[in-house]
Amino acid sequence: PLEQRTSCQRSLVSLHFNLLMLQNYVALNSTAVAKILKKFDKKYGTAIRPEYTRTVVELPFYRCHTLGHLVEESERLFRLLDSDVSSSSICQSLPIQPAGCLALPDTWQQQRRVQEAA
């Protein structure tokens, strides 16, 4: 049970970190596109930025609602694991269950292994 709880905690921390990185990436991309369009409009005397921004904001990639919910859910699950709740019941409630709680690759460790092997 302790090993399973630790495995779940590590997986959730990794998931949470990756979700936060994705949120930051989406925000950075949104800002970059807005700045590029502003410079384009200024240089060429056009006004495509408002229309393009309205269109892009409707795309799923730029919507952060689902991503925000996933971040909140990972935090909620971590708090549950940190409390006295049985880790097996939490693991069973997760959508992905192979090899412990979550079969999420730790990309940093994978990248390090690849670099060390090279």
Side-chain angles (χ1 to χ4, degrees):
L2 183 59
E3 279 182 32
Q4 187 179 26
R5 176 184 231 128
T6 303
S7 175
C8 282
Q9 286 174 330
R10 286 184 182 165
S11 295
L12 283 169
V13 166
S14 177
L15 173 66
H16 188 260
F17 174 77
N18 287 320
L19 289 171
L20 291 176
M21 293 297 290
L22 183 57
Q23 269 187 326
N24 289 336
Y25 180 76
V26 169
L28 182 65
N29 263 351
S30 179
T31 302
V33 168
K35 287 183 177 192
I36 289 167
L37 289 172
K38 181 178 179 181
K39 286 182 180 184
F40 182 87
D41 283 349
K42 183 177 179 181
K43 183 173 182 173
Y44 294 105
T46 61
I48 64 169
R49 183 175 55 138
E51 182 181 339
Y52 186 83
T53 304
R54 277 192 304 272
T55 306
V56 168
V57 167
E58 294 302 316
L59 296 174
F61 182 78
Y62 281 94
R63 289 190 180 171
C64 294
H65 304 302
T66 303
L67 195 50
H69 291 301
L70 289 171
V71 168
E72 290 170 7
E73 182 65 11
S74 68
E75 291 169 353
R76 186 188 70 79
L77 290 171
F78 192 81
R79 281 192 303 274
L80 281 174
L81 273 174
D82 217 21
S83 68
D84 291 334
V85 177
S86 167
S87 60
S88 62
S89 66
I90 294 170
C91 289
Q92 290 170 358
S93 72
L94 295 172
I96 305 169
Q97 295 179 358
C101 256
L102 294 173
L104 297 172
D106 186 351
T107 54
W108 296 107
Q109 286 182 0
Q110 284 181 348
Q111 288 174 357
R112 189 176 302 133
R113 285 187 205 123
V114 168
Q115 289 172 351
E116 289 173 358

